[in-house]
Amino acid sequence: MGKTVRILFLLFIGCTVSVFAQNQKLNVTSIAHFKLDADEFIGYDSFGFSYQIKNNVFSKVKGNEVFEYKNVSLGNITKVDILNPLKIVLFYEDFNTVILLDNQLNKMTEINFSQNNIPIVVPAIGMSTQNQLWVFNTLNQQIGLFDYLKNEYKTVSTPLTETIKYYQTDFNTFYWIDKKNNWFSCDIFGKTTALGKVYDFDDFEIINNHQYIFSSANLLYFKDISDTNSNTVSEIEVLEKTFDKFCYKDQILSIFTTKEITNYKIVTP
């Protein structure tokens, strides 16, 4: 390595350390801690049920109430959407199939997108409004809406030019981050908005259209892109040194390790 290159490299490292050294700390308060025997923790709903997957069996639990669903014929569960706890979305990507469950995890609807009149190959899906599902179709690289009662599909976005690295949906919005860490949103009318560039991450969760939490190297951070200081990132101080997943809902931050969950109260700026 030449002298000039070494100097530039050291300056870069120094600047990076300086930026993170100036980060604010976002304090949280531990409010609950309990054991959990699961392979993956999904999250909580507004009724206090927790959702998890163990040996490819999906379950919801609250106290002594336990409901389970399994479907060995469709392979592994790829994605779970509990946005509407009365219509839960289970996605089995290997079979291009979605199962909709009621609040007791009984099957309501099964949708095989490969059998649709308009071919759809789905790597990303989520619950939307008015009996519709958000769908990203790799065949045309477009975001669309699928009406699961009428079996009708319509595209709403223009074709995406970059690969989706992460996505998240709510009833009215499909959010995604591309492989270059650019953050976008698309509403149900097809309006696409560039929200900015995000930090590189291991895991990610969107709070709203200007705030997000991300993990990197087993540390958690909070970012508000509307902050006038673009370099400001707040580190979230939790007790866990390593963790498998985190999730955020209604100012509760849940940290999932192999066998337990800790819930923290977090107040974002």
Side-chain angles (χ1 to χ4, degrees):
M1 184 184 292
K3 182 177 179 181
T4 302
V5 174
R6 283 200 303 270
I7 291 172
L8 291 172
F9 177 76
L10 290 172
L11 284 172
F12 171 76
I13 294 298
C15 290
T16 303
V17 172
S18 175
V19 168
F20 278 87
Q22 295 173 16
N23 284 343
Q24 303 171 357
K25 300 289 186 180
L26 190 61
N27 294 322
V28 294
T29 303
S30 177
I31 57 175
H33 180 85
F34 54 93
K35 300 291 183 181
L36 180 71
D37 184 18
D39 298 323
E40 182 179 356
F41 175 65
I42 305 300
Y44 297 97
D45 66 19
S46 53
F47 302 104
F49 283 92
S50 66
Y51 296 80
Q52 48 275 319
I53 299 171
K54 175 71 173 180
N55 296 327
N56 209 36
V57 177
F58 176 63
S59 65
K60 64 180 285 188
V61 179
K62 183 173 75 171
N64 294 323
E65 292 184 87
V66 180
F67 302 95
E68 293 186 341
Y69 177 82
K70 62 180 178 180
N71 193 324
V72 295
S73 64
L74 293 177
N76 292 326
I77 301 168
T78 308
K79 175 77 173 180
V80 179
D81 188 325
I82 58 173
L83 184 64
N84 181 354
L86 304 180
K87 291 180 182 177
I88 297 166
V89 180
L90 291 192
F91 178 46
Y92 297 83
E93 186 172 1
D94 288 346
F95 286 80
N96 206 29
T97 297
V98 158
I99 303 290
L100 298 183
L101 306 175
D102 66 16
N103 63 335
Q104 295 186 337
L105 303 195
N106 298 306
K107 183 169 78 170
M108 301 169 63
T109 306
E110 180 171 339
I111 305 161
N112 185 335
F113 292 109
S114 300
Q115 298 174 354
N116 193 61
N117 293 331
I118 301 174
I120 308 170
V121 176
V122 182
I125 196 163
M127 180 59 71
S128 185
T129 60
Q130 300 174 337
N131 304 314
Q132 297 181 116
L133 295 168
W134 285 110
V135 170
F136 176 67
N137 185 4
T138 56
L139 295 182
N140 58 13
Q141 294 295 306
Q142 289 176 285
I143 297 165
L145 291 167
F146 183 87
D147 188 317
Y148 51 83
L149 293 184
K150 298 178 181 179
N151 236 30
E152 293 178 351
Y153 168 72
K154 63 179 180 181
T155 58
V156 295
S157 78
T158 56
L160 276 59
T161 58
E162 297 288 349
T163 304
I164 293 178
K165 179 179 178 180
Y166 172 84
Y167 76 94
Q168 187 176 319
T169 61
D170 60 32
F171 291 121
N172 297 305
T173 312
F174 185 107
Y175 295 100
W176 77 97
I177 297 166
D178 67 22
K179 64 180 182 180
K180 295 181 178 178
N181 287 340
N182 297 305
W183 181 14
F184 299 92
S185 68
C186 177
D187 66 18
I188 57 176
F189 304 106
K191 180 183 177 182
T192 299
T193 304
L195 299 175
K197 204 172 186 72
V198 305
Y199 287 88
D200 201 21
F201 59 89
D202 297 323
D203 202 359
F204 200 91
E205 183 148 356
I206 296 164
I207 298 175
N208 50 48
N209 64 3
H210 61 92
Q211 294 179 325
Y212 61 87
I213 295 173
F214 69 101
S215 66
S216 178
N218 279 309
L219 293 175
L220 278 173
Y221 301 95
F222 167 82
K223 174 64 180 173
D224 188 334
I225 62 173
S226 64
D227 193 321
T228 54
N229 184 353
S230 61
N231 289 326
T232 300
V233 177
S234 299
E235 182 181 341
I236 304 171
E237 296 188 294
V238 296
L239 297 174
E240 289 77 11
K241 301 303 180 186
T242 61
F243 51 87
D244 295 320
K245 183 180 179 179
F246 70 90
C247 64
Y248 171 90
K249 180 178 176 62
D250 300 333
Q251 297 189 332
I252 302 298
L253 177 68
S254 300
I255 306 295
F256 172 56
T257 64
T258 308
K259 296 295 180 182
E260 58 190 15
I261 293 176
T262 303
N263 290 334
Y264 294 90
K265 178 71 173 179
I266 177 172
V267 180
T268 55

